[in-house]
Amino acid sequence: MTTDALPRPRSFVGEGGIRLAADVWGEASSPPLVLLHGGGQTRHTWDRTGPRLAALGWRVIAPDLRGHGASGWSADGEYDLGQFADDIRALVVELGARPVLVGASLGGLSSLLAAGEAPAAAIRALVLVGVAHRPDPRGVRRIIEFMRHWPDGFAGVGEAAAAVSAYLPHRPPPDDPKGIRKNLRRHGDRWVWHWDPRLLDSFEGRMDPPGMAERLLDAARHTEVPILLVRGGISDVVREDIAEEFCDRVSNARRVDVADAGHMVAGDRNEIFIDAIVPFLEGIGQAAG
């Protein structure tokens, strides 16, 4: 498979019958690997990562989480972390094989609960990207402020691209600003982010609620599979001491840092991110063999 291969569309059924749209790369006979994006993103976060990993021998599945992209929205507007975890459990069952889960931010927290709390999803390994058991609240506030900043959307795609570049000054600007269109949808004569705006009501106040850090640590200790924590070297969400604490308290976890990457590691330094996780994935493949 070439690294520029186009994905194949697929859909899954999540908790409560919600439809989850997904892109798939790779051969049906290859071991599955599921890429789960962060809050306020879409499956297109992984457009460069998916074909690269497929070329290395994985069947890569990148779904839109509920309330994001082309997937269904929660009818009641609720987006509890447990719902996302249940969606992942349903997806794993539908796959019919034990996948590696690679979850960024919200996708990582949801994967951790899906794999470490009953009924535990049957997985081979877990990669947590830009997330641990607790965040730095300053970084979380910055994310929420960005997501809330344009309630009426943008006049055009270029305006949205400029907003992202201002939010992420450490990231080289995209060669084609129109690429961000995949993360937008039309709303009248405006462009708005392609997620349910009610998500923010669920996210605020629930990013680090009392008891959640211990709950996530307990889930990590009960996974009984290898865990790799991938931290952006300049992340304002997962400080170095937070990553160290996670790995100290979870015996099956180890860590790698991606230099010059912030919270959105794969988007900031995609090639370096892939190089950082490949040795871990190769070890999983060898162990399975």
Side-chain angles (χ1 to χ4, degrees):
M1 163 171 283
T2 61
T3 56
D4 60 351
L6 294 174
R8 302 181 302 280
R10 179 171 173 181
S11 65
F12 294 86
V13 179
E15 189 269 335
I18 199 165
R19 178 183 173 275
L20 304 175
D23 285 339
V24 179
W25 295 265
E27 302 297 329
S29 59
S30 298
L33 182 150
V34 181
L35 298 171
L36 297 146
H37 63 77
Q41 299 180 327
T42 72
R43 68 188 188 280
H44 297 296
T45 296
W46 307 108
D47 279 354
R48 292 180 295 158
T49 309
R52 276 287 314 274
L53 294 177
L56 296 175
W58 296 91
R59 175 165 55 102
V60 181
I61 302 97
D64 282 330
L65 300 180
R66 69 166 55 220
H68 296 76
S71 287
W73 292 8
S74 293
D76 58 4
E78 288 293 316
Y79 292 95
D80 183 82
L81 194 59
Q83 289 177 298
F84 291 106
D86 285 342
D87 289 341
I88 294 170
R89 292 185 179 101
L91 186 151
V92 169
V93 170
E94 192 171 342
L95 280 176
R98 294 171 62 220
V100 174
L101 299 183
V102 178
S105 195
L106 174 63
L109 296 175
S110 306
S111 296
L112 191 50
L113 293 185
E117 292 187 341
I123 67 170
R124 295 171 64 187
L126 175 61
V127 180
L128 301 174
V129 186
V131 73
H133 59 301
R134 61 184 177 91
D136 185 321
R138 294 169 297 180
V140 173
R141 282 196 300 269
R142 198 170 78 91
I143 294 170
I144 296 294
E145 288 169 1
F146 174 77
M147 293 176 72
R148 280 211 181 274
H149 197 69
W150 292 273
D152 298 322
F154 305 93
V157 174
E159 185 179 341
V164 173
S165 292
Y167 173 66
L168 302 170
H170 62 280
R171 181 187 293 186
D175 295 331
D176 182 6
K178 293 181 180 178
I180 199 172
R181 183 170 179 170
K182 293 179 179 178
N183 291 318
L184 299 165
R185 61 183 175 86
R186 292 289 290 185
H187 184 66
D189 62 351
R190 306 284 289 179
W191 291 92
V192 297
W193 297 121
H194 205 166
W195 39 267
D196 185 347
R198 298 175 298 176
L199 278 164
L200 282 174
D201 296 329
S202 293
F203 287 173
E204 283 193 309
R206 299 185 189 180
M207 296 299 286
D208 189 23
M212 180 57 76
E214 287 301 323
R215 179 183 174 186
L216 290 166
L217 284 171
D218 284 345
R221 287 189 286 257
H222 283 91
T223 56
E224 299 182 352
V225 299
I227 298 174
L228 177 67
L229 192 160
V230 183
R231 174 185 172 270
I234 58 172
S235 173
D236 61 352
V237 174
V238 181
R239 299 191 311 264
E240 186 170 7
D241 62 302
I242 294 173
E244 288 180 355
E245 180 184 12
F246 182 86
C247 291
D248 285 346
R249 298 184 64 181
V250 180
S251 61
N252 49 319
R254 58 190 177 94
R255 163 190 157 202
V256 62
D257 285 8
V258 175
D260 300 321
H263 176 55
M264 291 181 281
V265 183
D268 288 351
R269 297 288 183 268
N270 188 64
E271 297 303 314
I272 303 174
F273 164 71
I274 293 172
D275 290 343
I277 68 171
V278 162
F280 178 78
L281 296 178
E282 289 178 341
I284 299 303
Q286 292 167 0

